[in-house]
Amino acid sequence: MTSLVIRAVILAVIAAAIAIPVGIFSRPWHGWAVFCVGLVLQQLIHFRHFSRLDRWTRNPVVDASLEGEGAWDDIFGRLYRHEKELRAQIEQRDQTISLLRAAAQALTDGVVMLDLQNNIMFCNTTAETQLGLKLDTDQGQSILNLVRQPEFVVYLEALDFSRPLTLRPERYKDRVYAIHVIPYAGSRRLMQIKDITQADRLDQTRRDFVANVSHELRTPLTVLAGFLETMQEIELDDTERRRYLAMMADQSDRMQSIVQDLLTLSSIESAPPPDNDAVDMANLIDKLRRDAEALSAGRHTIVVDADGSGDLRGSEPELVSALANLVTNAVRYTPPGGKITLIWKTSPQGAEFAVQDTGPGIDAKHIPRLTERFYRVDRGRSRDSGGTGLGLAIVKHSLNRHQAQLDIKSEVGVGSRFAARFPASRVANQ
């Protein structure tokens, strides 16, 4: 501003220096006219630059051609640099906001930003799917008008966010969400929606497992305790004592079988990936046939149907355990006089080991749950046959470790077929 004043004074002095001689040697008003013309020209120059500045302020742009003379050039230069820096800051801010929005959209957890009136300010696509929201139309609306489940409404209105809310949404009955509300920025609330369905299922499985183990062990323990109490309080002859001891031994063996199967299942679940050794399937199937005949003791017809050559790659102990379980179950549950067929087939698509029997069959409603731990179609019949309820669970885990699948087909009164299907990558020497 100082340089602008100095420039104006200098121009006025120059105009006066020209006007004074004109006034002396001519008429005085000629001098004043010259002086006024100088001042008017100076004002016109300022007015031209002021007009450019006025137009620029109405539509600020980064324009390198915005320049003037003298002090005006300094002013326009500062405006140009300021506008350029400001636009760079705005662009950086927009990029930061875009990155933050992209990061929020990439989260696997739902995120909803609310104001103090619970109006939606922002939500990511995960939250839209979880709660049935749509940001384009729901922004600015109260989330309580969109998610009407009573427990959710009570949770937000209570203003006690020390503990998360566990919500089972009405639109997805099979999902479970944990909702955390975190106050931030004074008058804002951040809602985090975490899908805990898998954790909830695992927790339910754990509870069921503990309950089932307790139940399975309680029965033989109760029998043992009863026999011990009887033998302590009642005098028994040798025949009764031997009978009681034999029944106690049966219950003890049953508990040992349960514990052993539990240890086997645990070791399979925690073991490293299985070996990739070649397993001689001809010898393995022959061994399974001989074991089945020994367990059957002539009560069944055991047949082997092998079609195709080729061995399996994997852990032989695990494969023996899995396939032997299928054969043992067939012998145990097939009535005397029935037929049990061990089937082995290979093809370019893979291999299949199946056990087909003519037993009583299984109702279709039970088939999806047969591989659950301790699940029984008929508890009494399973215990009488010596089963622990863990055999098919062991089979399933062993096959999964070999990228194989267990396929179960059964018809009540006709029989059952349990097939282990292996991918081509597990077949050797085909």
Side-chain angles (χ1 to χ4, degrees):
M1 180 60 70
T2 302
S3 61
L4 188 64
V5 172
I6 293 173
R7 179 182 173 85
V9 170
I10 291 174
L11 291 175
V13 169
I14 293 173
I18 297 173
I20 290 173
V22 172
I24 293 174
F25 295 104
S26 183
R27 296 181 180 182
W29 66 269
H30 288 168
W32 284 108
V34 170
F35 182 72
C36 290
V37 168
L39 293 180
V40 168
L41 289 175
Q42 183 177 214
Q43 293 302 316
L44 287 175
I45 293 173
H46 288 314
F47 181 76
R48 182 172 67 87
H49 290 313
F50 180 79
S51 299
R52 294 182 63 192
L53 178 62
D54 179 65
R55 288 195 302 273
W56 182 87
T57 57
R58 297 177 188 277
N59 183 28
V61 294
V62 179
D63 186 3
S65 65
L66 187 66
E67 56 184 16
E69 295 83 12
W72 280 101
D73 189 56
D74 293 338
I75 294 174
F76 289 147
R78 288 195 298 270
L79 288 175
Y80 171 78
R81 290 189 296 272
H82 175 71
E83 183 66 20
K84 188 175 181 179
E85 292 173 359
L86 182 61
R87 288 183 179 273
Q89 293 174 3
I90 292 174
E91 183 178 357
Q92 184 178 5
R93 182 205 63 185
D94 291 343
Q95 290 178 352
T96 301
I97 294 175
S98 297
L99 289 174
L100 290 174
R101 290 178 66 93
Q105 295 291 5
L107 291 174
T108 55
D109 293 344
V111 174
V112 182
M113 297 172 61
L114 305 172
D115 61 17
L116 281 180
Q117 287 72 44
N118 294 317
N119 297 321
I120 299 172
M121 301 171 58
F122 170 80
C123 68
N124 63 0
T125 53
T126 304
E128 289 181 326
T129 301
Q130 291 170 331
L131 300 181
L133 305 176
K134 191 169 181 59
L135 183 62
D136 294 341
T137 57
D138 296 338
Q139 189 172 17
Q141 296 191 46
S142 173
I143 195 171
L144 297 179
N145 295 333
L146 303 170
V147 183
R148 298 175 177 270
Q149 285 186 242
E151 61 268 35
F152 179 78
V153 175
V154 170
Y155 179 72
L156 281 187
E157 291 182 343
L159 301 179
D160 181 9
F161 305 131
S162 57
R163 293 183 178 181
L165 168 69
T166 300
L167 182 69
R168 299 179 183 272
E170 294 178 348
R171 58 189 289 117
Y172 301 119
K173 296 293 186 181
D174 60 334
R175 313 306 295 178
V176 183
Y177 299 141
I179 297 180
H180 301 256
V181 176
I182 306 167
Y184 77 102
S187 61
R188 301 287 186 267
R189 293 171 184 167
L190 181 67
M191 179 185 297
Q192 179 190 19
I193 308 163
K194 191 174 186 64
D195 191 332
I196 59 170
T197 304
Q198 187 63 25
D200 183 75
R201 289 174 181 169
L202 290 175
D203 190 54
Q204 183 62 46
T205 301
R206 178 188 59 80
R207 292 194 297 268
D208 293 343
F209 176 71
V210 171
N212 286 330
V213 170
S214 301
H215 178 76
E216 293 293 331
L217 293 177
R218 185 183 298 115
T219 300
L221 283 172
T222 301
V223 174
L224 284 173
F227 283 145
L228 288 172
E229 184 179 353
T230 300
M231 295 180 69
Q232 289 173 346
E233 296 179 357
I234 301 175
E235 290 292 333
L236 301 173
D237 57 34
D238 290 342
T239 302
E240 290 181 331
R241 183 179 293 106
R242 284 194 295 270
R243 184 169 66 88
Y244 278 21
L245 288 174
M247 287 189 287
M248 292 169 65
D250 289 341
Q251 297 301 321
S252 176
D253 291 342
R254 173 169 173 72
M255 285 193 295
Q256 287 183 350
S257 296
I258 293 174
V259 172
Q260 183 58 48
D261 281 354
L262 286 172
L263 291 174
T264 300
L265 190 57
S266 176
S267 65
I268 291 174
E269 291 177 336
S270 59
D275 298 330
N276 202 35
D277 300 331
V279 179
D280 189 334
M281 290 304 296
N283 289 336
L284 176 55
I285 293 172
D286 185 62
K287 180 182 182 302
L288 294 176
R289 177 189 58 78
R290 287 184 276 108
D291 290 345
E293 290 175 345
L295 182 61
S296 172
R299 293 178 291 115
H300 309 89
T301 301
I302 311 296
V303 178
V304 173
D305 178 12
D307 179 17
S309 61
D311 297 328
L312 286 178
R313 293 190 179 276
S315 170
E316 183 169 356
E318 289 188 30
L319 291 173
V320 170
S321 175
L323 303 184
N325 259 300
L326 298 180
V327 175
T328 301
N329 284 345
V331 175
R332 282 176 175 169
Y333 297 119
T334 301
K339 180 180 179 181
I340 299 171
T341 305
L342 310 185
I343 303 169
W344 171 247
K345 295 182 179 181
T346 60
S347 69
Q349 288 73 40
E352 177 185 89
F353 175 84
V355 180
Q356 187 168 320
D357 62 52
T358 58
I362 304 168
D363 195 309
K365 66 181 181 181
H366 297 293
I367 292 179
R369 301 190 60 189
L370 286 180
T371 56
E372 293 181 14
R373 301 174 187 185
F374 297 111
Y375 184 81
R376 303 178 189 275
V377 176
D378 185 335
R379 289 187 176 273
R381 188 185 71 171
S382 179
R383 291 197 180 94
D384 292 342
S385 65
T388 62
L390 293 168
L392 289 179
I394 294 174
V395 172
K396 177 184 176 181
H397 282 78
S398 295
L399 293 181
N400 285 345
R401 284 167 48 78
H402 290 78
Q403 296 81 48
Q405 295 181 341
L406 179 62
D407 180 63
I408 304 173
K409 294 180 181 179
S410 185
E411 184 177 348
V412 176
V414 176
S416 304
R417 188 179 191 275
F418 290 75
R421 294 176 177 171
F422 297 86
S425 59
R426 284 288 175 180
V427 182
N429 303 326
Q430 192 171 1

